[in-house]
Amino acid sequence: MARKASLSGFPEWLPAERVVEQHVLDTLRRVFELHGFANIETRAVETRAQLLRKGDIDKEVYGLSRLAAEDEKNDPNALALHFDLTVPFARYVVENAGHLAFPFRRYQMQKVWRGERPQDGRFREFTQADIDVVGDGSLPFSYDVELALTIADALSALPIGDFRLRVNNRKLAEGFYRGLGLDDPDAVLRAIDKLEKIGPEKVTEILMTEVGASAEQAELALKLAGICTADTTFVEQVRALGVEHELLDTGLSELAEVISAASKRAPGKVVADLSIARGLDYYTGTVYETVLVGHESLGSICSGGRYESLASKGKKNYPGVGLSIGVTRLVSRILGEELVSAARSVPSVVYVTLANEDSWHEAQDVAAALRERGIACEVASSAEKFGKQIKYADRRGIPFVWFTHADGSHEVKDIRSGEQLSADPASWNPPAEDLQNSVS
């Protein structure tokens, strides 16, 4: 991970690192499918109007145009690379609604592009893994609970150590701010969203100078953001602040439902954290952010929330709830901290040597017999001395070397232990732990 990329923000993994990334993706895929999510893939581009219609993210979007094309900066139908998978998914739902069974559960793993300043955990090109459930007209709140539990299950299956899924509710926050007499809750949310980056003093200054809050209103807004519990005791703590509003009541009830279920099914993994705001405008209820314990400076590795009108067409509305895992951010930390490593950098288990230049076809027969049983292997390209062929296999990270002798007999050598035994290409199998290129 100390390697310098030739183009900042666009990571390229070495083969052994790529094995770790594939392990993460395969694990997430397995867990998502166990929870009944179907896989889709959307195109890499959307119109700029589609991407920019929710949230102030125009500086992050990469426009797409032909080199010889005229300036299309102000053309809403010009194309741009998607910066997340949620907005393209919303468009996908609207266009394919007649072919989908609702509530529709999907997972999606693709690259996205975002014009951010590259730094630890932040890239310009990266892979995301999303899950969403979308309804037709309405969506039961139970899915807000289910997605939190699904993500807790998925992250628990990864070699990332301890994590916390921090949950809040935009209705709770908006109702509290309105109950305080602050009429622009979105502006308050944007200020609170900066709390971890700039600290309470500067957030207070923003609330008072830009939002128009009094010192008392700003103090109460920060007290709300300071509440964090692993159970439903946050409800009493919010009530103790003395603010009342109907929307606040709804938000408290919804968040309590998520935390109550999570404390039973994923104890210690999901907490109510009332500082979580989420900057994108399309979230309307539950919001999630996830941090690695001990690596909080990395930022959120998984985030999302409930949205009511991101996917809509005319009077038709498709509310949903979803979460997105920053796979590249996760993998960068796994590799950087050496939390796991690949058993080998190549898929090959066996390297079939050549006794002489005329033995190539015979070696291919051995390789074919092994491959028929799912044993990955490769054949030497030339009949160098056996010592050189063994050294090459060792450099490649291939654990077994195969020899075919003049009398037609075969031997296989484990170059890690030096053990060499007779073998039959039609029946020999490596130990089970060597058959798959695992991580540990």
Side-chain angles (χ1 to χ4, degrees):
M1 292 303 296
R3 292 178 290 111
K4 292 291 184 181
S6 59
L7 193 58
S8 180
F10 296 84
E12 293 179 325
W13 308 125
L14 292 173
E17 296 169 338
R18 175 67 171 156
V19 170
V20 173
E21 183 183 44
Q22 284 299 115
H23 173 75
V24 170
L25 291 170
D26 290 344
T27 300
L28 294 176
R29 183 179 297 109
R30 175 179 59 82
V31 174
F32 293 162
E33 291 184 356
L34 283 173
H35 284 265
F37 290 84
N39 181 237
I40 69 164
E41 183 171 293
T42 57
R43 64 199 185 206
V45 299
E46 301 288 340
T47 65
R48 294 183 185 180
Q50 177 75 15
L51 292 175
L52 300 178
R53 69 191 185 95
K54 292 288 184 179
D56 182 21
I57 40 78
D58 54 300
K59 293 181 180 179
E60 296 183 0
V61 174
Y62 280 111
L64 194 67
S65 62
R66 294 179 296 111
L67 290 177
E70 295 181 4
D71 184 18
E72 299 174 333
K73 186 175 182 179
N74 297 317
D75 181 4
N77 294 316
L79 300 180
L81 295 170
H82 56 220
F83 67 92
D84 74 355
L85 299 179
T86 304
V87 174
F89 174 58
R91 188 263 314 155
Y92 176 94
V93 169
V94 170
E95 292 182 357
N96 295 282
H99 305 283
L100 303 176
F102 293 97
F104 176 55
R105 309 160 68 96
R106 84 81 161 86
Y107 78 91
Q108 190 172 348
M109 299 179 180
Q110 284 182 244
K111 287 188 180 295
V112 300
W113 295 267
R114 193 170 296 178
E116 295 192 292
R117 181 173 63 86
Q119 52 186 300
D120 183 26
R122 291 189 177 275
F123 305 91
R124 291 172 174 169
E125 178 184 71
F126 53 98
T127 299
Q128 284 188 329
D130 285 23
I131 57 171
D132 284 78
V133 181
V134 171
D136 183 355
S138 64
L139 184 72
F141 182 78
S142 59
Y143 286 110
D144 292 46
V145 182
E146 183 179 343
L147 258 70
L149 298 175
T150 301
I151 286 295
D153 192 6
L155 294 178
S156 296
L158 297 176
I160 59 174
D162 202 8
F163 64 89
R164 292 292 179 273
L165 177 57
R166 304 153 69 192
V167 190
N168 195 5
N169 192 291
R170 293 283 280 265
K171 296 174 186 175
L172 187 163
E174 181 177 343
F176 187 88
Y177 303 146
R178 290 192 182 280
L180 280 177
L182 297 171
D183 296 327
D184 190 355
D186 288 341
V188 183
L189 281 169
R190 285 193 292 271
I192 295 297
D193 198 32
K194 300 174 182 178
L195 190 58
E196 291 184 355
K197 294 181 180 179
I198 64 176
E201 290 185 4
K202 290 186 178 179
V203 169
T204 298
E205 183 181 344
I206 292 173
L207 289 173
M208 295 179 65
T209 60
E210 298 181 18
V211 182
S214 67
E216 182 181 1
Q217 288 172 325
E219 181 183 1
L220 285 171
L222 287 174
K223 282 185 177 180
L224 179 74
I227 296 174
C228 182
T229 69
D231 52 28
T232 57
T233 56
F234 71 89
V235 177
E236 292 86 32
Q237 294 185 38
V238 174
R239 294 296 188 198
L241 296 178
V243 178
E244 295 184 0
H245 194 278
E246 184 179 355
L247 196 57
L248 170 61
D249 296 339
T250 302
L252 281 171
S253 176
E254 291 184 353
L255 184 56
E257 187 174 340
V258 175
I259 300 302
S260 178
S263 63
K264 295 176 183 178
R265 301 186 177 276
K269 299 298 184 184
V270 184
V271 300
D273 188 333
L274 305 195
S275 69
I276 301 304
R278 301 297 298 140
L280 294 173
D281 293 343
Y282 52 68
Y283 294 119
T284 57
T286 307
V287 286
Y288 316 87
E289 284 194 359
T290 313
V291 294
L292 295 180
V293 175
H295 303 279
E296 287 82 1
S297 62
L298 185 64
S300 179
I301 59 165
C302 173
S303 58
R306 160 77 72 145
Y307 46 89
E308 296 299 329
S309 58
L310 182 63
S312 59
K313 184 177 182 181
K315 295 183 179 180
K316 197 75 169 177
N317 205 44
Y318 302 94
V321 58
L323 278 149
S324 174
I325 297 175
V327 173
T328 305
R329 178 175 291 189
L330 263 182
V331 171
S332 71
R333 186 49 55 106
I334 291 172
L335 296 174
E337 297 292 327
E338 298 182 346
L339 298 177
V340 298
S341 60
R344 55 183 183 273
S345 60
V346 296
S348 301
V349 180
V350 178
Y351 187 74
V352 184
T353 63
L354 297 182
N356 53 62
E357 297 298 341
D358 295 329
S359 63
W360 186 84
H361 288 287
E362 188 177 4
Q364 290 291 344
D365 291 339
V366 171
L370 295 174
R371 290 171 185 147
E372 283 181 359
R373 297 199 312 285
I375 303 170
C377 58
E378 54 190 85
V379 176
S381 59
S382 61
E384 297 182 294
K385 291 181 179 180
F386 281 141
K388 287 188 176 181
Q389 294 186 64
I390 293 171
K391 285 183 178 179
Y392 176 77
D394 190 30
R395 288 198 305 273
R396 291 271 289 159
I398 303 172
F400 295 96
V401 176
W402 193 281
F403 304 97
T404 300
H405 300 298
D407 62 1
S409 63
H410 301 270
E411 287 185 310
V412 65
K413 180 176 183 174
D414 185 337
I415 60 177
R416 299 164 299 185
S417 66
E419 183 180 36
Q420 187 165 325
L421 301 171
S422 296
D424 182 347
S427 59
W428 178 85
N429 282 294
E433 60 268 22
D434 289 319
L435 195 56
Q436 298 295 327
N437 191 2
S438 61
V439 301
S440 60

